[in-house]
Every structure is written in structure tokens, then in C-alpha cells.
Amino acid sequence: MYTNYIFDIDGTLINTEEAVLGSLQKLLKVNFKRDVDQHELSFVLGIPGAVSLRQLGIEDIDLANRYWNDYMRDYQETIHIFEGIQQLLTSLKDHSITTGVVTSKTHQEFQDDFVPFGLAHDLTHVVCANDTKLHKPHPEPLLKFLQISGANAESSIYIGDTIYDYKCAKDAGIDFGLALWGCKQPELIPAKYKFEHPKDVLSLINID
């Protein structure tokens, strides 16, 4: 049914929630003397760091982002690949299916936070936040993926964990699969597919 499987990274391929929220909380406390509960920061999951910082009223975005990325290293041991992801990517590759990622990470964050896990070699095309002017939930990142991969929307599926991912896919005309293993509010996201475990994605290969 689908010949192109496109993935979000954070909350879909790797679990970075504790690292993202913990390091942001540290940034706000250390650099801006603001004590903010992690629950109040969960809105940042799934959108670029620069967008998140602007929404928090921070003016020097570049400097704050550098500190945020530095603090992320303090939480590196909390980041891990979700169970079943490596097997999923290997199985898709074995079926000659094109895979890639559309992420809100910058290229540097992609290199620092994702590449060390060894999954990147299974992903043919990558679209990072630097690659488009507009970001999720706008469809431009997925449209950029279609452009660079030569894929078409009808034969593609985007798999992510947030409402931003869903809206991006919907407006790009691409079917959406919700990664329940990383999703916090599944009842609010009307995905075409809802996958309990990464292995469940493989059921789509057998759909006529």
C-alpha cells in the first residue's frame, strides 16, 4: 500500500522526552531564574527549539538554544531507542521500502542526538528544521521530503507522536500513523492508524 515510510524522531524513533524537558527546565532555572514545572513545558515536544523558546518569551534564541543543547548532554543517558524500532527499520529495508525522517531537530541536533544510535543508515532521506522556512504543523517539511525523495503523497505515510505531526501530514495530503508508544494524548489525534508497538506498522505491508 505504501512505498515510502516517513518518521518523526523524538517520541517516535527515540525517547528524548526526559532529556528535552529536563534540559529546558535547567536552562530556564540557571539562565533565566525561572522555576517551571516540566508538565508546563510539554508543549515543546514536537516543535523546533527556536519556536519553543520564542513561545517562552526568550529573546536571544541562538544563545539560549546553544545552552539548551549543552544541557541536553547532561541527560544523554536517559535517551534511548524505543523497543522494536531497529527491527522495524530493518524489516522495511528488507522489503525495499523507502524510509526517511522529517524532524524538528536541526542538522546539528540530528548529528548530536540521533546519529550516535546507528539508525541513520537505514533512513534514505532526512528533512531537518534547517531545510524549510516553515515548520510542523505546517506541511512544508513533508512537502520538502516528497520533493527530495521523488515520492508522491498517495504512496507515503508519516508516523509520529504529536498533534503537530498529524496536522503536518494532513495538510500535505499524506496518511498519518500515530506512534502510541511515544504519544501523550492519543485521544486528541484522529490518526488513520494507531500503532501500539513499532512491529504493528509492518501490518501495512500486507494491506492491498
Side-chain angles (χ1 to χ4, degrees), residues 24-30 32-34 36 41 58:
L24 177 57
Q25 186 181 45
K26 181 175 180 178
L27 168 73
L28 293 173
K29 183 174 181 62
V30 173
F32 298 94
K33 311 305 179 189
R34 292 166 59 181
V36 184
L41 299 175
I58 293 172

Side-chain angles (χ1 to χ4, degrees), residues 177-206:
L178 184 63
L180 292 174
W181 57 87
C183 182
K184 298 304 177 188
Q185 296 179 305
E187 69 282 357
L188 300 180
I189 304 175
K192 182 169 184 176
Y193 306 100
K194 294 190 176 185
F195 304 114
E196 293 281 351
H197 188 276
K199 68 174 185 257
D200 298 336
V201 176
L202 295 174
S203 66
L204 297 181
I205 294 176
N206 301 317

Side-chain angles (χ1 to χ4, degrees), residues 2-13:
Y2 302 108
T3 56
N4 308 286
Y5 284 66
I6 313 164
F7 297 90
D8 172 49
I9 290 181
D10 294 325
T12 302
L13 298 181

Side-chain angles (χ1 to χ4, degrees), residues 3 91-98:
T3 56
S91 295
L92 292 174
K93 187 175 182 180
D94 289 345
H95 282 81
S96 300
I97 290 171
T98 299

